[in-house]
Amino acid sequence: MKPGGIMVIPVGSDSQELYKVKKDSEGKIYKKRKGGVAFVPLIGKYGFRKGLEC
C-alpha cells in the first residue's frame, strides 16, 4: 500500500473482524478494529464463476 492509502478488510475465517488499515506519509501503518462481520462472496450471474471462488 502506498503512503496515504487506506484498506478496509475482513480478517478471519469463521469469526471475522473488519479492520481499517491506514499508511501515513512516513510509512507507518495504523490499524483499527471496526467490529464483527460476515463476508458473503458474490455469486450468480454477476459474481464469481464456478471454480474461481476466493
Side-chain angles (χ1 to χ4, degrees):
M1 176 170 40
K2 71 181 195 175
I6 298 173
M7 292 190 298
V8 178
I9 56 173
V11 177
S13 55
D14 294 331
S15 175
Q16 296 179 323
E17 292 286 330
L18 188 66
Y19 279 87
K20 180 179 179 182
V21 183
K22 295 179 7 176
K23 188 174 190 179
D24 69 14
S25 60
E26 297 173 359
K28 186 168 181 181
I29 301 216
Y30 299 89
K31 60 183 177 176
K32 184 171 185 176
R33 189 169 49 187
K34 302 302 268 182
V37 295
F39 175 74
V40 180
L42 182 63
I43 58 173
K45 183 176 179 180
Y46 299 103
F48 295 101
R49 291 184 304 204
K50 190 89 171 155
L52 295 179
E53 292 85 7
C54 295

